[in-house]
């Protein structure tokens, strides 16, 4: 990173100042304005941080115009086809794909950290059965720091590594327990002879009265969902994790903060919103009328699961998820299911209708992942929990990168103040 290029800012009456421009390995240059306030007494104004690089990172790169997503330089299309989720976890955490021995060691450590403290399991009983699973997730993940005191020194690289393993390993158990508690079924404990995703599906769907046999097609589908959601640059939840971590907060608290941010319907709740939209449409015969209303800006109707704030082209994750979606529907014989037929009809119109094509409102990953998860038997209320499980590794990688960065400082955005100017206090009997 670095450049000899400069950017000149003209301000005030004939004043100007130069700032260095920095170049990454790929992507647009950025103007380094760190000295702006000290030298000029002015700030920048960028609501939503649409034109602001909050950090430098080597983890994930997105080119929204070209429809590119890279994890550590590797295209998501290649990783999702050739890797399993734990290989991608290793890559995000360590910067390189593992060799056979490294993978075996990594998998072995994760698999043997999947159990949670038995008193943590009792924590679930403090929640109402009808609590939203994400509310339970926030509480339980935040409570991990009360059970694992031996990995809270963020200045110790070994502690950071231990907490990373614990979070990746225990999130499937925590998510599955949240589901089991919500439906009144007994918790199913991890089984070390299963793969990461097989183990999660067993903890979700097995019952003590029957033997559970994972379906390899369905396991691979969920594993791909995990891979496609593992990281996504400096989105709202990742930025939340980094901001919380910048204060020196412990990693468990930081991940809980990320879960809170992800819960929002504009972020991790998007696939849940897609399924709710399909339920509201109700039937294939009503798709045409719904599309007509979606085109009308005054109708208040939104087409959920289409378009993306970052991708102005086809979301590369959506292409992969679309293939997986059809594989799952074929495996389970669900092409004639009412909701799935409705989703496919909506997809067909959106891909062919000039209004959506011209505006590049293609189906995004949330549209397909919601359909797949419903086909797998995962209730809509659990969709964002699954997203949290997958994104945890990205959050940890980003958190570790920030903690290790010698330039990191506590986050402290400024503001454009528009309130009352200074005024003097007046006693109540004179007002």
């Amino acid at each position: 990173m670095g450049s000899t290029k400069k950017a000149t800012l003209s301000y005030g009456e004939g004043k100007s100042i130069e700032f260095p421009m920095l170049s990454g390995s790929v992507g647009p240059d950025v103007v380094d304005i760190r000295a702006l306030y000290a030298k000029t007494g002015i700030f920048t104004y960028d609501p939503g941080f649409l034109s602001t690089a909050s950090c430098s990172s080597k983890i994930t790169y997105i080119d929204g115009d070209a429809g590119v997503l890279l994890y550590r330089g590797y295209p998501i299309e290649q990783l999702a086809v050739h890797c399993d989720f734990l290989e991608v976890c290793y890559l995000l955490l360590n910067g390189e794909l593992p060799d056979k021995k490294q993978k075996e060691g990594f998998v072995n450590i994760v698999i043997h950290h999947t159990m949670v403290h038995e008193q943590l399991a009792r924590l679930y009983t403090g929640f109402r059965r009808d609590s939203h699973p994400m509310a339970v997730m926030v509480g339980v993940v935040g409570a991990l720091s009360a059970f694992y005191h031996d990995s809270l020194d963020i200045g110790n690289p070994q502690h950071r590594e231990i907490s990373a393993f614990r979070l990746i390993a225990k999130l499937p158990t925590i998510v599955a327990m949240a589901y089991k508690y919500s439906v009144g079924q007994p918790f199913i404990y991890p089984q070390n002879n299963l793969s990461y995703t097989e183990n999660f599906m067993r903890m979700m769907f097995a019952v003590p009265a029957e033997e559970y046999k994972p379906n390899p097609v369905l396991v691979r589908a969920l594993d791909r969902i995990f891979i496609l959601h593992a990281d996504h640059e400096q989105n709202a939840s990742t930025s939340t994790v980094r901001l919380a971590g910048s204060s020196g907060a412990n990693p468990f608290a930081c991940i809980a903060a990320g879960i809170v941010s992800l819960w929002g319907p504009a972020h991790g709740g998007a696939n849940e919103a897609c399924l709710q939209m399909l339920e509201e449409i109700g039937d294939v015969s009503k798709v045409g009328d719904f599309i007509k209303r979606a085109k009308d800006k005054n109708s208040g109707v939104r087409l959920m699961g289409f378009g993306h704030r970052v991708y102005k082209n086809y979301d590369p994750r959506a292409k992969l998820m679309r293939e997986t979606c059809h594989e799952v529907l074929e495996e389970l014989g669900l092409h004639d299911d009412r909701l799935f037929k409705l989703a496919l009809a909506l997809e067909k119109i959106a891909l062919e209708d000039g209004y959506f094509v011209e505006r590049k409102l293609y189906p995004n990953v949330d549209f397909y992942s919601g359909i797949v998860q419903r086909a797998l038997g995962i209730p809509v209320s659990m969709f964002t929990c699954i997203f949290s499980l997958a994104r945890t590794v990205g959050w940890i990688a980003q958190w570790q990168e920030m903690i290790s960065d010698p330039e990191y400082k506590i986050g402290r955005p400024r503001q454009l103040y528009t309130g009352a100017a200074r005024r003097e206090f007046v006693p109540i009997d004179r007002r």
Side-chain angles (χ1 to χ4, degrees):
M1 183 173 68
S3 173
T4 58
K5 291 184 285 188
K6 303 284 185 180
T8 302
L9 171 68
S10 298
Y11 68 102
E13 297 181 3
K15 297 179 181 179
S16 66
I17 185 173
E18 283 192 338
F19 296 101
M21 295 185 69
L22 307 179
S23 299
S25 50
V26 289
D29 292 343
V30 300
V31 181
D32 183 353
I33 60 167
R34 283 176 286 183
L36 176 64
Y37 180 64
K39 292 184 176 181
T40 68
I42 60 177
F43 298 132
T44 57
Y45 182 62
D46 185 20
F49 310 112
L50 301 183
S51 298
T52 299
S54 62
C55 63
S56 63
S57 179
K58 298 178 179 177
I59 300 171
T60 304
Y61 173 72
I62 297 171
D63 184 336
D65 293 328
V68 171
L69 172 60
L70 307 177
Y71 289 172
R72 299 285 191 177
Y74 291 99
I76 190 65
E77 299 92 324
Q78 296 178 17
L79 296 173
V81 171
H82 300 294
C83 296
D84 61 31
F85 179 61
L86 286 187
E87 283 180 89
V88 172
C89 288
Y90 186 99
L91 170 67
L92 290 172
L93 291 171
N94 298 291
E96 300 292 342
L97 286 167
D99 59 27
K100 186 175 181 180
K101 184 177 180 181
Q102 289 169 329
K103 182 184 177 183
E104 288 175 354
F106 184 82
V107 170
N108 185 60
I109 292 174
V110 171
I111 291 300
H112 286 87
H113 277 81
T114 50
M115 287 187 66
V116 297
H117 196 289
E118 192 62 21
Q119 283 182 257
L120 187 75
R122 294 176 193 163
L123 189 64
Y124 287 84
T125 61
F127 295 94
R128 288 172 46 137
R129 292 276 182 183
D130 60 354
S131 300
H132 194 289
M134 282 294 282
V136 176
M137 288 279 293
V138 171
V140 175
V141 173
L144 287 174
S145 59
F147 291 86
Y148 301 105
H149 305 131
D150 59 340
S151 59
L152 298 182
D153 181 1
I154 66 170
N156 185 324
Q158 187 176 15
H159 280 213
R160 296 200 298 267
E161 183 180 51
I162 291 169
S163 56
F165 277 121
R166 282 175 169 162
L167 282 160
I168 294 168
K170 297 180 192 307
L171 254 294
T173 310
I174 290 169
V175 171
M177 284 180 164
Y179 171 63
K180 287 297 193 184
Y181 184 73
S182 71
V183 294
Q185 292 183 5
F187 295 150
I188 301 296
Y189 287 83
Q191 195 165 301
N192 292 347
N193 65 330
L194 297 176
S195 73
Y196 186 86
T197 305
E198 284 176 331
N199 204 7
F200 173 65
M201 293 186 74
R202 178 180 172 273
M203 288 190 290
M204 282 283 289
F205 301 122
V207 292
E210 299 175 6
E211 182 181 359
Y212 179 80
K213 293 183 178 180
N215 181 320
V217 174
L218 307 187
V219 170
R220 180 57 185 156
L222 188 56
D223 199 71
R224 181 169 285 186
I225 287 176
F226 292 165
I227 291 171
L228 297 180
H229 288 85
D231 198 49
H232 208 238
E233 209 225 41
Q234 304 308 315
N235 51 76
S237 57
T238 299
S239 297
T240 299
V241 170
R242 279 184 173 262
L243 193 60
S246 75
S247 72
N250 72 73
F252 304 111
C254 293
I255 300 307
I259 293 171
V260 171
S261 180
L262 194 69
W263 195 358
H267 191 11
N271 50 18
E272 186 173 339
C274 292
L275 265 293
Q276 290 171 347
M277 174 191 71
L278 293 175
E279 289 286 5
E280 289 170 8
I281 296 172
D283 188 82
V284 173
S285 63
K286 299 179 181 178
V287 170
D289 178 63
F290 179 82
I291 291 289
K292 183 178 179 181
R293 288 187 290 133
K295 293 178 183 179
D296 181 359
K297 294 181 180 180
N298 299 318
S299 69
V301 173
R302 290 187 62 197
L303 185 62
M304 304 302 297
F306 291 78
H308 194 279
R309 178 168 172 178
V310 172
Y311 296 108
K312 307 310 176 188
N313 205 315
Y314 204 93
D315 182 343
R317 301 170 302 167
K319 295 178 183 178
L320 297 157
M321 207 65 245
R322 184 177 188 274
E323 295 174 8
T324 298
C325 180
H326 286 277
E327 288 171 5
V328 169
L329 297 184
E330 185 67 32
E331 175 69 15
L332 297 176
L334 290 173
H335 276 102
D336 290 328
D337 178 270
R338 176 187 62 85
L339 208 63
F340 297 128
K341 286 178 72 173
L342 174 57
L344 296 177
L346 189 63
E347 174 203 44
K348 186 175 187 297
I349 291 175
L351 288 174
E352 297 175 356
D353 189 295
Y355 178 89
F356 299 106
V357 173
E358 289 168 11
R359 290 165 176 76
K360 297 184 178 180
L361 295 175
Y362 302 113
N364 60 37
V365 68
D366 297 309
F367 179 77
Y368 295 112
S369 67
I371 297 171
V372 171
Q373 289 184 70
R374 184 180 185 276
L376 296 179
I378 298 170
V380 172
S381 62
M382 290 296 299
F383 285 3
T384 316
C385 296
I386 302 293
F387 196 159
S388 301
L389 188 170
R391 184 56 57 84
T392 291
V393 66
W395 289 333
I396 296 168
Q398 298 274 350
W399 174 81
Q400 286 185 327
E401 183 180 63
M402 181 199 66
I403 295 296
S404 304
D405 186 349
E407 293 188 339
Y408 110 84
K409 298 177 176 64
I410 185 170
R412 181 59 173 87
R414 300 304 299 263
Q415 64 177 15
L416 174 65
Y417 177 68
T418 58
R422 177 186 170 92
R423 48 185 172 172
E424 299 303 319
F425 173 77
V426 178
I428 192 168
D429 59 352
R430 292 172 53 195
R431 292 176 209 162

